Amino acid sequence: FFLSEYFSKVFEVLEEPNRPVAHNLIRRYVLDSLVEWEKRIEVKSVEVSSDTETEVNVEIVFKLKDTELEETMVYPFYKN
């Protein structure tokens, strides 16, 4: 089942230089998408960092609603 309106604008930033401005946009886009589409969680934080020029790591800390379980997920994006 595919929802065509389900998306994040992160793809718009992937061709931009790996700089703090791009990191701030990625953070905002990820946060916006999670708040809009993932109603089962409460987002605690979204942090964006990079160790290299071609990799961007997005760390999401969230709490499952109706529980006290807090999780962290790190998602790497690789740029060409």
Side-chain angles (χ1 to χ4, degrees):
F1 181 48
F2 176 73
L3 295 173
S4 60
E5 61 275 352
Y6 180 80
F7 73 97
S8 170
K9 293 170 60 175
V10 169
F11 69 91
E12 295 179 3
V13 184
L14 293 179
E15 297 299 321
E16 297 298 323
N18 195 357
R19 304 280 186 263
V21 171
H23 294 184
N24 287 335
L25 285 172
I26 292 169
R27 180 187 175 285
R28 178 83 260 155
Y29 294 158
V30 167
L31 184 58
D32 288 348
S33 291
L34 289 170
V35 168
E36 175 73 22
W37 294 105
E38 188 48 83
K39 303 299 185 194
R40 298 171 295 178
I41 66 171
E42 175 186 328
V43 179
K44 297 292 190 174
S45 67
V46 176
E47 299 296 329
V48 180
S49 63
S50 61
D51 295 328
T52 69
E53 192 64 29
T54 59
E55 181 179 350
V56 176
N57 293 306
V58 179
E59 179 182 284
I60 303 164
V61 178
F62 62 93
K63 179 179 132 356
L64 293 173
K65 289 184 177 176
D66 301 327
T67 75
E68 295 302 314
L69 183 61
E70 193 169 287
E71 295 284 334
T72 300
M73 183 182 92
V74 178
Y75 187 84
F77 288 94
Y78 297 99
K79 301 166 60 87
N80 292 334

